Amino acid sequence: MTGNRTNSKVDEFLSKAKKWKEEYETLRNIVLDCELTEEFKWMHPCYTYDTKNIVLIHGFKEYCAILFHKGALLNDAQGILIQQTENVQAARQIRFTNVQEIVEMETILKAYINEAIEVEKAGLEVDFKKTTEFIIPEEFQNKLDEIPALKTAFEALTPGRQRAYIHYFSEPKQSKTRVSRVEKYMPQILVGKGLND
């Protein structure tokens, strides 16, 4: 492991970790052996090649994971990549519940990381679904049809912001909840803001 590739913010993150500390440290050593640059993004250790995100280490209640930013483009020869939710288009995880699992998979993990680096070197991009391919919930479509300014403002948002709204408005099972969400966020859409802005 090369010392100049580590990041003091990751050192701090690891020193404060209560859960998954040993797992994080083991994953960190494996990733750094692959000659990636350690950064700290989205409150987690993130590893880049030529400033491009390759993998992120993160933890949840039930597991910790290494996340491949363009995991959908990997061959997944071992069949171990997991799509977190049906809405995640590019990223894929490999999950762990203990250090032993990580140690046993070190060779495989390095092969996946090296493949991810090659994907980045080749300039490959994930073919994201277009916003027009997502189904707009009826409650939101009605408002877009009723209020031309809302339709114009929504279409002016970035595709990612549009998808976030469509997903958020589609989640509830009950129509009244969907209506309530649409009405709550209409003012935000009208001023050109995304769901989380």
Side-chain angles (χ1 to χ4, degrees), residues 138-140 142-143 169 172 174-186:
E138 184 182 342
E139 297 80 0
F140 185 44
N142 291 342
K143 289 293 182 186
F169 295 155
Q174 293 189 354
S175 177
K176 67 179 184 179
T177 310
R178 290 192 297 270
V179 167
S180 150
R181 285 186 176 189
V182 168
E183 288 177 354
K184 179 179 177 183
Y185 282 93
M186 280 174 26

Side-chain angles (χ1 to χ4, degrees), residues 1-12 14 25 28-29 31-33 35-40 45-47:
M1 184 170 75
T2 51
N4 65 343
R5 290 185 176 271
T6 61
N7 183 301
S8 61
K9 288 182 179 174
V10 174
D11 292 333
E12 186 179 341
L14 293 171
E25 289 170 349
R28 178 193 205 189
N29 290 333
V31 175
L32 287 173
D33 274 350
E35 299 299 308
L36 292 174
T37 301
E38 185 172 75
E39 298 187 35
F40 193 70
C46 182
Y47 299 85

Side-chain angles (χ1 to χ4, degrees), residues 59-121:
F60 298 88
K61 187 177 178 183
E62 305 292 328
Y63 63 88
C64 67
I66 183 167
L67 178 132
F68 293 82
H69 290 274
K70 292 184 179 178
L73 298 178
L74 300 180
N75 290 324
D76 194 15
Q78 304 288 323
I80 54 177
L81 292 177
I82 297 170
Q83 183 177 358
Q84 262 180 290
T85 69
E86 63 183 37
N87 295 305
V88 174
Q89 295 185 56
R92 297 291 184 271
Q93 294 177 326
I94 300 175
R95 297 177 178 174
F96 307 97
T97 56
N98 61 61
V99 174
Q100 193 57 39
E101 289 176 334
I102 299 168
V103 171
E104 288 170 5
M105 287 186 67
E106 180 171 352
T107 305
I108 294 168
L109 288 174
K110 285 182 177 178
Y112 274 67
I113 294 164
N114 287 322
E115 184 185 353
I117 294 167
E118 291 307 314
V119 162
E120 202 53 65
K121 283 180 181 177

